[in-house]
Amino acid sequence: MSVNPADSVVFGTLYGSEAMREAAGDRAWLQHMLDVEAALARVEARLGLIPAEAAPAITAAARAGKLDMTALAISTRNTGYPVVGLVKQLSQAAGPEAGRWTHWGATTQDILDTATVLVIRDALAIIERDLDRVCAALAARAEEHRGTVMAGRTHLQHALPVTFGYKCAVWLSPLLRMRERLAELRPRVLRVEFGGAVGTLASLGDRGAEVLAGLARELDLAEPEIPWHVAHDGFAELVSWCGLLTGSLSKFATDVMLLMQTEVAEVAEPHAPGRGGSSTMPQKRNPIACEYVIAQARGVGALVPQMLAALPHDQERGTGPWQAEPLAIFQSLLLTHGALEQAVLVAEGMTVDAARMRRNLDSTGGLIMAEAVMMGLAPVLGREQAHHAVHHACDVALKEGVPLAEALSREEEVSSRLDREKIEALTDPAGYLGAASLFIDRVLQQAATLPRRNGKTA
């Protein structure tokens, strides 16, 4: 029986993803522990530190499917770690001769930390794939709707016109930076950990550094300049990056959710029969995907402080911080990919109602263009006088329910200097988009670096 909804058979369909549960679940972690043990044996056999024939036997036995999980659980409860019981079973499965040489010169944390790194490597490949999908979808939307004018909103009120393409570019830009950060953090996180009891590899004499280098090559991980058994900044950086990524996805989801409000109705999540429905209100189409992006982002955000608090490992082996990390790392990866899966659904399938955007834009009768008119009149009237004239015209428009252009034409100091055609031009939202198109181009230029898969970007 699961306590965490993300691990539930039922609720797990809403939180996390099956792909991440498979890549970062306990069986995957255990298999990677065995992978590290097998790789260590192969390296040490090549260096002549253990018999050559021991390595193939240990490698063949290193299969999680062969583990007695009940016995491993009992051992883990007794010792506080799974590695002791795992090595015992691996040694038995490898046979009496080869089994004597398992775990040679290693300590528990070497195996746990390096296995965690291998899980993270698999998890990041899954996350990157779907991050690229979201980026590619938003890039396509930005291009498609670069000219779709809509109301820009500040404090949830009409502010100035923007385009939906510009809005998509704003959502896309931080996600492209997340890709940059991912490339930067990989070398700092995907490093082998092998240091023995206190990090000096004393049990291997003067061969320890050779084994460390060989193990890094065998597992295709970076070799650290010094064992990092009490310097887990890489793991903390990983979870912090997950927090940044899901936070950026949450901005996207929040905006879409607000644009889905009945009174706005400019964008909608992709709809399927029954999706987002209510048990009592048949008309409802709730923003389910957006809600679960936001929920999982909050879950990840709550785990970031836990990882930061675990950084001070005491002396040469932490008494508590190290043990707290698995509670945050794997759950962060799971929830991050869960949020990404929901974001992919929205980014690739959302419907955009350009006509509704235009109706909402026009709903204030041109008042959204007040700044544009003021800036247009300022060279003629002076800024202060222009502000006063436009402010008065806005009051008239609001009070009498007439378009701003009509109210402006009644202002003597305006109409004496500008004819109706020029006033109409000043109140046209399409003429007051500033550098929106240029900014879209800049973001799309960055997005052009997305990898191409199956002939399509990302």
Side-chain angles (χ1 to χ4, degrees):
M1 183 70 70
S2 172
V3 173
N4 192 319
D7 300 319
S8 163
V9 173
V10 176
F11 294 103
T13 60
L14 297 171
Y15 299 98
S17 70
E18 289 308 310
M20 192 57 72
R21 272 184 276 273
E22 183 176 343
D26 56 357
R27 184 169 288 274
W29 197 23
L30 290 169
Q31 181 57 61
H32 281 311
M33 291 181 206
L34 292 169
D35 293 339
V36 177
E37 294 284 2
L40 178 62
R42 292 193 296 271
V43 170
E44 292 179 331
R46 283 198 295 270
L47 294 174
L49 294 173
I50 68 173
E53 60 273 15
I58 293 171
T59 298
R63 298 289 180 270
K66 297 181 178 182
L67 293 172
D68 181 337
M69 293 296 193
T70 301
L72 183 58
I74 293 171
S75 172
T76 300
R77 179 188 290 272
N78 288 336
T79 62
Y81 314 103
V83 175
V84 174
L86 180 141
V87 170
K88 180 180 179 180
Q89 291 192 39
L90 175 61
S91 299
Q92 291 172 345
E97 291 302 318
R100 297 166 51 204
W101 303 100
T102 58
H103 200 64
W104 195 257
T107 194
T108 289
Q109 190 172 349
D110 294 332
I111 308 304
L112 282 171
D113 283 352
T114 303
T116 300
V117 169
L118 294 176
V119 169
I120 290 169
R121 181 169 66 185
D122 294 344
L124 289 180
I126 295 170
I127 288 172
E128 183 177 38
R129 178 197 68 204
D130 283 340
L131 174 56
D132 285 350
R133 286 182 64 184
V134 174
C135 288
L138 290 178
R141 297 284 185 167
E143 181 60 55
E144 177 186 2
H145 291 283
R146 64 164 57 243
T148 303
V149 185
M150 65 179 296
R153 297 171 172 92
T154 60
H155 301 276
L156 299 180
Q157 308 294 308
H158 281 208
L160 294 175
V162 296
T163 69
F164 186 64
Y166 170 81
K167 200 170 188 71
C168 291
V170 169
W171 294 332
L172 172 58
S173 181
L175 298 180
L176 295 175
R177 291 193 292 276
M178 294 307 133
R179 294 179 72 251
E180 293 175 359
R181 290 187 176 103
L182 176 56
E184 292 164 357
L185 72 82
R186 271 191 166 115
R188 294 191 288 268
V189 176
L190 303 184
R191 303 185 300 161
V192 71
E193 164 50 30
F194 186 68
V198 295
T200 62
L201 290 171
S203 62
L204 296 173
D206 61 358
R207 309 295 299 280
E210 290 181 77
V211 176
L212 173 61
L215 187 58
R217 288 192 298 271
E218 187 73 16
L219 294 171
D220 194 23
L221 296 173
E223 179 187 355
E225 69 282 358
I226 189 171
W228 48 270
H229 57 300
V230 285
H232 282 200
D233 55 289
F235 287 165
E237 182 180 6
L238 167 75
V239 175
S240 297
W241 177 81
C242 288
L244 287 171
L245 171 57
T246 55
S248 298
L249 293 172
S250 192
K251 155 63 177 171
F252 164 50
T254 297
D255 281 0
V256 171
M257 187 166 60
L258 291 172
L259 293 172
M260 284 183 67
Q261 292 180 99
T262 304
E263 296 81 359
V264 180
E266 295 176 353
V267 177
E269 289 184 6
H271 181 66
R275 180 171 177 80
S278 164
S279 61
T280 59
M281 296 171 284
Q283 85 280 8
K284 293 298 291 293
R285 292 188 180 181
N286 296 318
I288 295 300
C290 291
E291 291 171 359
Y292 280 96
V293 171
I294 295 167
Q296 291 176 99
R298 289 172 177 167
V300 175
L303 294 169
V304 173
Q306 182 171 325
M307 285 301 298
L308 296 178
L311 276 172
H313 290 235
D314 43 295
Q315 307 291 10
E316 279 66 56
R317 181 74 75 245
T319 52
W322 174 41
Q323 292 85 345
E325 290 174 350
L327 296 173
I329 294 172
F330 302 108
Q331 196 70 4
S332 293
L333 294 170
L334 179 63
L335 294 176
T336 295
H337 191 242
L340 263 173
E341 276 202 336
Q342 299 289 349
V344 166
L345 181 72
V346 178
E348 292 184 346
M350 65 179 165
T351 58
V352 180
D353 191 338
R356 182 60 179 253
M357 288 178 176
R358 186 69 207 197
R359 288 199 298 275
N360 289 342
L361 182 66
D362 294 338
S363 64
T364 61
L367 286 174
I368 196 170
M369 297 301 294
E371 181 193 86
V373 174
M374 184 194 72
M375 295 302 292
L377 287 172
V380 180
L381 300 179
R383 190 185 186 285
E384 184 176 353
Q385 190 61 27
H387 184 279
H388 175 76
V390 174
H391 188 275
H392 184 262
C394 288
D395 287 345
V396 171
L398 285 168
K399 182 179 181 180
E400 299 184 18
V402 298
L404 177 60
E406 181 177 334
L408 286 166
S409 66
R410 298 181 190 176
E411 297 287 325
E412 173 63 26
E413 55 188 338
V414 175
S415 60
S416 64
R417 292 169 173 83
L418 300 176
D419 59 26
R420 186 59 183 257
E421 184 178 349
K422 289 183 179 179
I423 292 174
E424 293 285 355
L426 281 177
T427 55
D428 179 8
Y432 201 66
L433 296 172
S437 187
L438 171 64
F439 294 145
I440 292 170
D441 287 339
R442 288 179 176 179
V443 174
L444 291 182
Q445 186 175 7
Q446 289 182 305
T449 63
L450 288 167
R452 300 186 69 84
R453 300 191 176 107
N454 299 323
K456 296 182 179 180
T457 300

